[in-house]
Amino acid sequence: MEDLKDLLPVEAVRLDVRVADWREAIGAAGRLMVETGATTDEYTGEMVANVEENGPYIVIAPGVAFAHSRPSPAVLRTGMSWVRLAGPVEFGHESNDPVTLVVALAAQDSAAHTSAMGSLARLLGDPVTAAALAEAPTPEALHAVLAGERAENGSETTGPAAAAEPSGPEVSATPEPPTASAPRAVSLHKILTVCGNGVGTSLFLKNTLEQVLDRWGWSRFVTVEATDTISAKGKASEAVALLTSREIARTLGDVGRPVKVVQDFTSTAEVDAVLRDTYDV
C-alpha cells in the first residue's frame, strides 16, 4: 500500500491557482501529474471526459473535487496532485459547489492507493486539519500537515492517527448489530459504495462508512466494497444497500436494492444518518 505522502509529493502541490472554470481546474491538477511523471497529457483529458459523461459526482464534499478517471495507458504510475484555487469555481454540483480544492488521482489499479485514500478521507473529514490545509502558506507547509508532521511553529499538525473525535449524532445511541442472534458471524451483510470508475470517490465513501461501522461495533457484521457503476449493477443483489452520489444514483437506476445518496463523502455524521435509515435504527 502506498502512503499519502508518497503518492502526493510536494512538487505536485500548487496553492492559490487562478482558473476560469472547472475544466481549467482539472487541467491544472492534471499538469502537475504530468510534471511529476505520473501521467501523460491524455489522462487530463480523460478526467475532464469523466465529468462530462457522469456529471459532477467528483465534488465529494463542500468545496472539494476529487478528479480522476479509470486506469489507462495514460497512467504511468499511481500518483496524485493537489491544487488549491485562488477563487472558487462551479462544477455544477447541487450542494457542494463552489469548489476551492481539486485533488487529482491517477491509479494504475484499484488496490495500491487504498491506504492513501483512507488517510486523505480522514484528513479532509477532520475540521481542524481541513482548516490547516486551507490556510497552509506554502506547499511545504501543506505537505507537512498531510504527513502529520510538526508545523513551522512547532505545534503538532493533525494526522490520520490524531484526528479529532467527532461529535454529534454519530457518537450517540449506538444501535444493536444487524444480526444480534449470531454475534460470532463475519461478513453477514454487504454494502456497496459506488462511483463512476471504482478507484476514487467510492474509496472515500468506503472509508467514511467503515469509520462509522467501527464506531458502532458493526465491522464484523458488515463488509464494504468500493466499485464502479457497471460492477455495482451486477453485484447489487449481494448487497443490503448501495451508497453513492446523486449523479451516480441516477445512472444506476433501479438495481433491486436501496440506493442511498450521500452528499458529503467525508462526513461521518451524514453517513451515520444514512446507515441508520438503511437499517431503520
Side-chain angles (χ1 to χ4, degrees), residues 39-278:
T39 69
T40 67
D41 287 323
E42 285 73 17
Y43 187 74
T44 302
E46 291 170 7
M47 291 193 293
V48 171
N50 181 39
V51 178
E52 292 174 338
E53 178 182 353
N54 296 303
Y57 80 94
I58 67 167
V59 187
I60 59 171
V64 181
F66 188 68
H68 64 288
S69 188
R70 294 182 182 276
S72 78
V75 179
L76 305 179
R77 62 172 176 80
T78 299
M80 297 176 66
S81 65
W82 183 289
V83 175
R84 192 175 71 193
L85 302 176
V89 297
E90 300 283 338
F91 273 64
H93 196 279
E94 293 181 10
S95 60
N96 291 336
D97 268 347
V99 168
T100 55
L101 170 64
V102 179
V103 180
L105 167 72
Q108 287 188 308
D109 56 51
S110 61
H113 60 292
T114 303
S115 176
M117 292 301 95
S119 297
L120 184 57
R122 289 189 293 273
L123 289 168
L124 293 176
D126 173 48
V128 175
T129 307
L133 292 169
E135 297 167 2
T138 65
E140 291 77 14
L142 185 141
H143 202 255
V145 176
L146 291 175
E149 298 170 357
R150 289 188 176 275
E152 293 180 1
N153 62 6
S155 62
E156 191 75 21
T157 60
T158 304
E165 183 68 20
S167 59
E170 70 270 30
V171 297
S172 61
T174 301
E176 291 296 320
T179 51
S181 62
R184 295 186 180 182
V186 178
S187 303
L188 298 177
H189 292 200
K190 177 188 286 187
I191 295 176
L192 301 179
T193 59
V194 190
C195 73
N197 302 289
V199 297
T201 59
S202 60
L203 287 173
F204 264 84
L205 186 52
K206 177 179 185 289
N207 179 267
T208 304
L209 176 55
E210 287 177 338
Q211 288 183 61
V212 176
L213 290 170
D214 286 345
R215 195 171 301 137
W216 285 15
W218 281 29
S219 295
R220 64 185 180 132
F221 299 98
V222 182
T223 60
V224 184
E225 181 179 348
T227 187
D228 59 40
T229 52
I230 296 174
S231 299
K233 291 179 180 180
K235 296 179 179 181
S237 62
E238 306 169 6
V240 174
L242 293 78
L243 272 59
T244 188
S245 66
R246 191 176 306 279
E247 294 81 7
I248 298 300
R250 292 169 181 155
T251 299
L252 286 172
D254 184 1
V255 293
R257 291 289 188 271
V259 177
K260 305 287 186 174
V261 170
V262 178
Q263 299 284 8
D264 184 348
F265 282 22
T266 67
S267 171
T268 54
E270 182 178 354
V271 171
D272 179 279
V274 170
L275 192 61
R276 289 177 186 274
D277 180 69
T278 300

